[in-house]
Amino acid sequence: MSRPTIGLALGSGVARGWAHIGVIRRLEKEGIRPDFVCGTSIGALVGGMYLAGKIDALEDWARELGKSSLFRFLDIRLSGGGLISGSKLFSLLEKNIGDANIEDLPVPFSAITTELGTGHEIWIREGNLAKAITASYALPGLFSPQQINDRWLIDGALTNPVPVSVCRAMGARLVIAVNLNADVFGMTNIGEAEDSFMEEENGGLGKVFHARSPLNLMKHRFFDKSGSEPSIFGVMMSSLNIVQDRLSRSRLAGDPPDITIAPRLAQHGLLEFDKAEEMIAEGEEATDRSLPFLMHAMKVLS
C-alpha cells in the first residue's frame, strides 16, 4: 500500500518555534517526509530552511544563540513601521539560502502572511524564499512590514497561526499540525519572560537607551515594570499570545488536522530565543507522544 500524501503545518510562536526543529528531526528519524510544507511566522522560517537543505545550519545557529548575540542581528530604529527594520536578519537569511526561489524547493511550500491594508490571508507559494519568510514573521510593531507584489505584508499569525487549511488546499491527504500555543495561554506571568529578556543587563534593548538620553524615560515605559503593572512591551507580547491562542482554537476547530503535535512550552517566553536546546528537545518528545496516532492514521488512509 502506498502511504497518503502528507502535509506538515508549522505554526507560529516566535522563539517557541525552535521546537519545530525537534519535530522535523523526529519525523525524519521515522522515515516520515512531508509532501507539502506550510509555515506561519517562525514556522515559515524553519520550514523554508528545512526544504532549502539548511536545517543543520539553522539548528547550530539556534543552539549557539545567547541573549547578547541575538541583539547583534536586531537593527533598532525609532521610525518606520517597526522597532526593528529586519535588514540584518534578512542578510543572514540571504547568506544561508542565497537567491533560492520557492518553486525550486524539492516539495511545494507556502509561507503564510497577512495583507496589512485588507487583513486578507496571503499564501506566498512562489518567488524569493528569503523575502517570503521575512514577510511571514513580520510581527506588527516589532518588525517592519514587507512589500511583495505591491502589497504590504505582516505576520501570518494574525490570520492563520497553524496553516492546516493551506496544506489541505495544496493537496495533502493527511495533515500533521504543530501547534506551539496549545498549553501557553494563561500559564505564564504576563510579559515576565519578555520583559526580562529585553532588559538583560548586557544584551537587551535597554542598552540602546543611555541613562542621560531623553529616550530613557520611554525605555522604562516600554520595557520596565512599575509595581504590578506590566510594561507596554509585556502587554504587546501577551496580547499576541491571546490572539494566537484564540485564533488557533477557532481555525483548528473548523478545519482540524489529522494529527496534532503539541509541544509543552508554557514555561518559555515568546522571545526566549536562547532556550533552543530545551525547545528542540520538547519538539522531539511531543512528536514521540503523537507517533502512535500518526502511524495509525497513515495505515487507515493508505
Side-chain angles (χ1 to χ4, degrees):
M1 293 183 295
S2 61
R3 71 166 179 80
T5 54
I6 297 174
L8 181 61
L10 302 174
S12 61
V14 199
R16 294 174 184 139
W18 294 146
H20 287 317
I21 298 175
V23 172
I24 290 171
R25 293 295 194 199
R26 191 67 186 88
L27 290 176
E28 283 205 322
K29 190 175 181 180
E30 293 296 323
I32 300 171
R33 293 178 177 269
D35 301 286
F36 307 94
V37 176
C38 302
T40 298
S41 197
I42 188 73
L45 171 64
V46 176
M49 294 288 279
Y50 166 55
L51 295 181
K54 299 296 182 178
I55 191 73
D56 291 341
L58 179 63
E59 181 174 354
D60 290 343
W61 184 74
R63 288 183 182 275
E64 294 171 1
L65 199 60
K67 293 181 179 180
S68 58
S69 59
L70 172 63
F71 284 96
R72 292 190 290 106
F73 299 101
L74 303 183
D75 30 14
I76 311 301
R77 62 180 188 176
L78 297 175
S79 61
L83 185 64
I84 299 167
S85 74
S87 59
K88 290 184 179 180
L89 284 174
F90 180 75
S91 296
L92 186 63
L93 268 177
E94 277 196 316
K95 180 180 178 181
N96 279 276
I97 59 180
D99 57 355
N101 287 323
I102 293 174
E103 53 267 39
D104 298 327
L105 297 176
V107 304
F109 172 73
S110 182
I112 315 308
T113 69
T114 302
E115 186 175 12
L116 183 60
T118 63
H120 292 165
E121 179 182 332
I122 305 296
W123 306 347
I124 305 180
R125 299 178 58 181
E126 59 183 16
N128 185 270
L129 177 60
K131 289 183 179 179
I133 291 171
T134 304
S136 188
Y137 68 62
L139 183 63
L142 194 60
F143 288 103
S144 297
Q146 301 297 307
Q147 190 174 33
I148 298 179
N149 296 331
D150 297 323
R151 292 186 291 200
W152 287 103
L153 303 176
I154 56 176
D155 200 323
L158 298 177
T159 49
N160 198 347
V162 188
V164 172
S165 58
V166 187
C167 284
R168 296 235 186 263
M170 293 176 73
R173 172 78 167 129
L174 187 156
V175 177
I176 304 169
V178 186
N179 184 4
L180 303 176
N181 304 292
D183 74 330
V184 297
F185 179 62
M187 296 290 287
T188 57
N189 291 329
I190 296 177
E192 181 175 324
E194 284 70 36
D195 283 326
S196 173
F197 184 85
M198 300 303 281
E199 274 297 294
E200 184 71 15
E201 182 177 355
N202 296 315
L205 284 183
K207 70 178 182 179
V208 176
F209 303 87
H210 303 293
R212 296 182 180 179
S213 168
L215 297 176
N216 193 49
L217 178 63
M218 184 174 71
K219 180 206 76 168
H220 287 291
R221 185 71 185 101
F222 266 86
F223 305 118
D224 295 349
K225 285 190 275 189
S226 176
S228 60
E229 182 182 1
S231 71
I232 292 177
F233 192 80
V235 171
M236 286 172 57
M237 292 296 98
S238 295
S239 298
L240 177 63
N241 253 345
I242 293 169
V243 169
Q244 290 184 128
D245 173 74
R246 297 303 179 181
L247 189 52
S248 294
R249 294 186 193 203
S250 176
R251 294 296 299 256
L252 293 177
D255 193 0
D258 299 287
I259 299 296
T260 298
I261 298 175
R264 295 167 181 166
L265 301 168
Q267 72 275 26
H268 295 297
L270 289 176
L271 295 179
E272 291 188 309
F273 287 96
D274 58 321
K275 299 297 173 63
E277 185 171 350
E278 296 97 317
M279 288 188 266
I280 291 171
E282 175 52 31
E284 293 176 345
E285 292 173 13
T287 307
D288 276 336
R289 294 192 293 268
S290 298
L291 273 177
F293 306 100
L294 175 56
M295 295 303 184
H296 177 71
M298 290 178 65
K299 182 178 179 180
V300 170
L301 295 175
S302 293

